[in-house]
Amino acid sequence: INGVEALNIVSEQEISLVILDLMMPLKDGFQVLKEMKNTPTLCDIPVIVYSGNEDVESVTEALQLGAYDYFTKPLKPREMEVILPMKAKNALKNYEQQKVIQSMNMKMQVDLLMANIFQQSLLNEKHQMPSAVMYGKYVPSQDIGGSFYECIQLDDIVWFIMADVSGDGVSSAMLSSMLKMEFEHCIKIF
C-alpha cells in the first residue's frame, strides 16, 4: 500500500524477492530501495522495479541504487506470462547463489582463522636452548602464509632454518609445515 508498509514487511518477514513500484505514498520506491540497500539484513534481497516511469533518469537512478532489474508497466499479457516470471526466476537464482557464496566465504574465513592459529602455534616467539636463545615473530601478509622458521639444538650444535614457500595461502602453509617436520627429522638422523 505504501513504502513504510513495504519496509516493515521486508524487515519482519523472510523475503527473497521484491517487486517494487516507484510511485507509492509516504515513502516512494526510491526511498524504499535506498533504505533496503543501506540495511545489512536487507541489502542482498533482489529488487525488481516495476514502474510506469519510462524516463531514463528514473531507470538509471533505480539501477544505481541497487535494483536488480527494471521494467515498465503496463505489461502485455504475453510479457506477464514470460518476461516477469523469467526476471523473477533469474533474480531468485542469483540471490540463492549469493547466499551460497556468502556461506562458503564465512566457512573459509573460519577455516583460515583456525589454520592461522595452528600455524602460529608451530612458530615459537622465544625458544630457550642451552647454547642459544631464538626470538621470532611471524606476521603473514594474508590470513595464512608459507613462511616459517625453526631453531633446534641437538648436543652442541644449533640448527636454524628460515624458509619462504612461494605464495601465500593454505597450500603454501601446509607445505611449509611439512618442510618444518622434515627439517626436524633430518637433523635428528644427522
Side-chain angles (χ1 to χ4, degrees):
I1 295 173
N2 61 62
V4 173
E5 183 181 1
L7 283 169
N8 288 337
I9 290 171
V10 296
S11 296
E12 295 169 0
Q13 298 180 26
E14 189 172 328
I15 304 292
S16 298
L17 173 66
V18 173
I19 298 178
L20 181 67
D21 194 352
L22 293 179
M23 300 300 151
M24 294 185 294
L26 301 179
K27 287 189 180 188
D28 66 21
F30 293 115
Q31 292 170 305
V32 171
L33 183 58
K34 185 182 245 181
E35 284 189 42
M36 283 182 66
K37 296 304 172 181
N38 288 327
T39 304
T41 56
L42 306 177
C43 66
D44 293 329
I45 298 172
V47 177
I48 297 175
V49 174
Y50 177 51
S51 177
N53 288 352
E54 296 183 42
D55 60 284
V56 175
E57 291 81 19
S58 293
V59 175
T60 302
E61 184 178 355
L63 293 173
Q64 285 177 335
L65 287 172
Y68 180 83
D69 206 342
Y70 190 108
F71 61 99
T72 56
K73 54 180 158 177
L75 287 178
K76 297 176 185 131
R78 181 77 177 133
E79 293 172 324
M80 284 291 281
E81 293 172 12
V82 178
I83 293 175
L84 181 57
M86 289 304 292
K87 287 179 182 268
K89 180 180 174 185
N90 290 341
L92 287 168
K93 183 177 180 182
N94 182 271
Y95 181 55
E96 290 304 316
Q97 289 172 341
Q98 286 301 110
K99 288 195 316 189
V100 168
I101 289 169
Q102 287 174 348
S103 174
M104 291 171 65
N105 189 40
M106 286 175 51
K107 182 185 180 319
M108 185 179 68
Q109 292 301 318
V110 169
D111 289 347
L112 284 173
L113 176 64
M114 297 306 293
N116 179 279
I117 291 168
F118 173 72
Q119 183 181 35
Q120 292 292 335
S121 74
L122 296 175
L123 302 170
N124 297 319
E125 288 192 20
K126 180 180 178 186
H127 187 92
Q128 181 77 42
M129 296 164 281
S131 300
V133 178
M134 181 200 70
Y135 294 94
K137 177 81 173 159
Y138 177 61
V139 180
S141 61
Q142 295 182 356
D143 294 322
I144 188 167
S147 303
F148 75 96
Y149 56 85
E150 183 61 277
C151 188
I152 299 172
Q153 182 171 352
L154 285 175
D155 299 323
D156 292 336
I157 302 173
V158 176
W159 299 82
F160 179 77
I161 186 171
M162 184 166 52
D164 183 7
V165 177
S166 179
D168 285 318
V170 175
S171 58
S172 55
M174 290 175 64
L175 183 57
S176 69
S177 295
M178 290 175 19
L179 288 172
K180 183 177 186 283
M181 289 187 295
E182 189 61 28
F183 168 70
E184 292 171 1
H185 173 74
C186 286
I187 63 171
K188 287 177 184 173
I189 61 171
F190 180 73

